[in-house]
Amino acid sequence: MSKAKRVPHILISEADLQRRVEELAREIDRDYATCERLIAIGVLKGSVFFMVDLLKLVNVPVQVDFFQTSSYGEGTEPGEVRIRKDIDLSIRGADVLLIEDIVDTGYTLRTILDLLRFRGAKSVKLCALLDKVERREVEVPIDYRGFEIEDKFVVGYGLDYADFYRDLPYIGIYEGDGGDA
Ligand code: 5GP
């Protein structure tokens, strides 16, 4: 097996992910039951696997759109976030549910949440699968949180290392490239 496909140490199993995603979907259904226009916005690429599973279980009608932001090391200063792909939909007057894979320092979400409010959304809430709370540098209120995790680099279920591992059905701790599998 290639190194890139080596199975990392499992932190959250597929069954635990599916159970929690189901619970989050029920909470979202309850909270948005009377909502007139709900837009779910994912942050590419990491949120995609989580977002697909979540929205298949949400019963409230929802429109779907995506942002893509620059990741660290692509000519950005720490804490500097650039929008590489903007959403296509107008969000004025809509209830927006922002969906993210992981909140780490909080800079990415802070930037996007401010932008969504500035564009006239009626409400903006955040749904994040993982919360690395120890690493937070700017405050970001998480309305729907899957799991709080320790400060380890994780992959799987959308989260990558060099764009590998997104397809793992669980969350694993990435332990580096040492040795062959
Ligand atoms: P923040 O702006 O909150 O520091 O960073 C959020 C982004 O950093 C996430 O969307 C994700 O792309 C990346 N990130 C932060 N922690 C991890 C991690 O443990 N694993 C992976 N694969 N990406 C991470």
Side-chain angles (χ1 to χ4, degrees), residues 72 100-102 104-108 132 152-154 159-160:
Y72 310 139
E100 177 62 307
D101 50 1
I102 186 165
D104 186 28
T105 62
Y107 285 114
T108 307
K132 260 194 210 172
K152 292 267 164 50
F153 191 81
V154 292
L159 287 143
D160 75 309

Side-chain angles (χ1 to χ4, degrees), residues 66-78:
F66 293 97
F67 270 116
Q68 186 162 21
T69 57
S70 56
S71 49
Y72 310 139
E74 291 175 5
T76 53
E77 295 295 315

Side-chain angles (χ1 to χ4, degrees), residues 124-150:
V124 181
K125 284 191 182 183
L126 173 60
C127 175
L129 178 67
L130 305 176
D131 181 8
K132 260 194 210 172
V133 76
E134 285 171 53
R135 295 256 312 156
R136 197 74 83 259
E137 291 181 25
V138 287
E139 201 195 329
V140 177
I142 303 178
D143 302 282
Y144 306 96
R145 172 178 27 201
F147 302 87
E148 189 177 311
I149 62 164
E150 56 187 312

Side-chain angles (χ1 to χ4, degrees), residues 14-65:
E14 184 174 6
D16 286 347
L17 284 171
Q18 294 308 320
R19 217 176 351 259
R20 189 71 190 112
V21 170
E22 170 88 44
E23 287 169 2
L24 292 172
R26 296 291 71 81
E27 276 184 55
I28 290 166
D29 271 344
R30 225 177 11 250
D31 295 353
Y32 289 99
T34 59
C35 151
E36 284 175 11
R37 184 172 171 231
L38 177 61
I39 306 180
I41 299 179
V43 186
L44 293 170
K45 305 171 193 171
S47 70
V48 168
F49 287 67
F50 169 47
M51 185 168 179
V52 167
D53 282 352
L54 180 72
L55 294 185
K56 281 194 291 189
L57 297 171
V58 165
N59 293 313
V60 177
V62 63
Q63 289 179 293
V64 173
D65 211 338

